[in-house]
Amino acid sequence: MDFRQFLKTQLLLMLLIASGSVLPISAEEEAADAPPAKEEAADESAKDEPEKKAEAEKKQEIDPDDEVALEAAEAAAVARPVSPDPIQVYGWREKIFIEGKKDSLNAKLDTGAYTSSIHAEEQELFERDGKKWVRFITTDPRDEKSPRVKMEAPLVRIARIKEPGGKSESREVVRLTFIIGERKLRGEFTLNNRSNMLAPVLIGRTTIRELGWIDPSRTNLADDKVMR
């Protein structure tokens, strides 16, 4: 289009606007006609907010001392991907050394248990520097020659544990340091009477997940450093 044609076109457009045949579009009208993509996105986000809030509140509602609820939440959680890095394998039973006790204790590594447990007798709550502690005696009740050792540990919490019969029982939970093979770990243990159990110590999933893999067909692999 040359300059003369351009002038003619502009003049014709001005005449049409003046006659009312064509109306200029204002900025407000242009914005109103624009597709509401951002508004729709905002609406979708607003719809998702209550669901996210409800999910967050549901997680907060789980009592950290209620191991039955914690276990149910763990079962519903998405499994973590398997690491390609080498992982040490342990037997279903291992010897461990609890810090403060010279002799080793047999420990059963049980993936079916949530929290670790240790045989404890004569439990006594007391305060030290304004914090609650537990004094107790640990031994292997199935071994008459096992020494009875008095131990003290800070109280972490009072947990509600579900018994095989379906009833819940409250137990003190303490944090203990122990050695298995060449690994030194610190974990939470419930204080329990394990005189009717095969081992005075039970290592549960909360500790096993930091430890490695379990071979249910073998025992005492910690010192062999078997890797998978």
Side-chain angles (χ1 to χ4, degrees):
M1 180 185 296
D2 58 20
F3 185 70
R4 291 181 180 179
Q5 290 178 333
F6 174 76
L7 288 177
K8 288 181 181 180
T9 303
Q10 291 295 102
L11 181 59
L12 179 60
L13 181 60
M14 291 175 65
L15 290 172
L16 289 173
I17 292 174
S19 64
S21 300
V22 176
L23 296 176
I25 299 175
S26 64
E28 290 79 5
E29 291 172 326
E30 186 175 3
D33 292 337
K38 293 184 178 180
E39 291 182 6
E40 290 178 2
D43 290 341
E44 290 297 326
S45 178
K47 291 179 182 178
D48 292 340
E49 281 302 319
E51 295 181 3
K52 291 180 181 179
K53 187 176 181 181
E55 186 177 352
E57 288 177 353
K58 188 175 180 181
K59 290 180 179 179
Q60 291 177 356
E61 286 175 1
I62 299 177
D63 187 345
D65 296 333
D66 188 346
E67 295 209 350
V68 177
L70 290 171
E71 207 164 7
E74 183 187 59
V78 178
R80 294 185 299 178
V82 178
S83 172
D85 299 330
I87 298 177
Q88 186 167 352
V89 180
Y90 297 84
W92 68 268
R93 185 172 64 187
E94 297 283 352
K95 291 187 179 297
I96 70 169
F97 289 87
I98 302 290
E99 191 173 73
K101 192 177 186 308
K102 294 181 180 180
D103 300 306
S104 65
L105 288 172
N106 285 323
K108 178 183 177 183
L109 280 64
D110 188 353
T111 58
Y114 185 76
T115 306
S116 301
S117 175
I118 186 170
H119 178 76
E121 301 175 5
E122 302 179 19
Q123 291 131 269
E124 178 187 356
L125 287 170
F126 67 98
E127 283 195 8
R128 175 177 291 167
D129 298 329
K131 296 182 179 180
K132 292 183 179 180
W133 282 59
V134 186
R135 185 181 292 117
F136 60 96
I137 291 175
T138 185
T139 184
D140 186 348
R142 299 173 67 89
D143 183 1
E144 296 180 356
K145 297 180 180 179
S146 178
R148 295 170 58 83
V149 179
K150 184 177 289 187
M151 303 188 69
E152 295 179 350
L155 177 69
V156 177
R157 56 193 172 89
I158 303 293
R160 290 191 296 276
I161 310 295
K162 187 176 181 180
E163 292 295 313
K167 295 183 179 180
S168 294
E169 182 178 311
S170 297
R171 295 183 194 160
E172 292 90 350
V173 180
V174 298
R175 188 171 288 110
L176 299 173
T177 301
F178 67 97
I179 297 174
I180 176 170
E182 294 184 353
R183 295 285 305 278
K184 186 175 183 179
L185 299 172
R186 189 169 174 82
E188 294 184 357
F189 289 78
T190 60
L191 301 181
N192 184 28
N193 184 348
R194 296 184 56 82
S195 56
N196 60 339
M197 306 295 181
L198 291 176
V201 179
L202 180 142
I203 305 297
R205 290 195 305 277
T206 54
T207 301
I208 291 175
R209 67 179 54 156
E210 306 298 330
L211 189 62
W213 281 27
I214 309 301
D215 184 343
S217 66
R218 304 171 70 182
T219 62
N220 299 317
L221 296 178
D223 293 330
D224 295 338
K225 299 180 183 177
V226 177
M227 309 295 286
R228 74 103 182 117

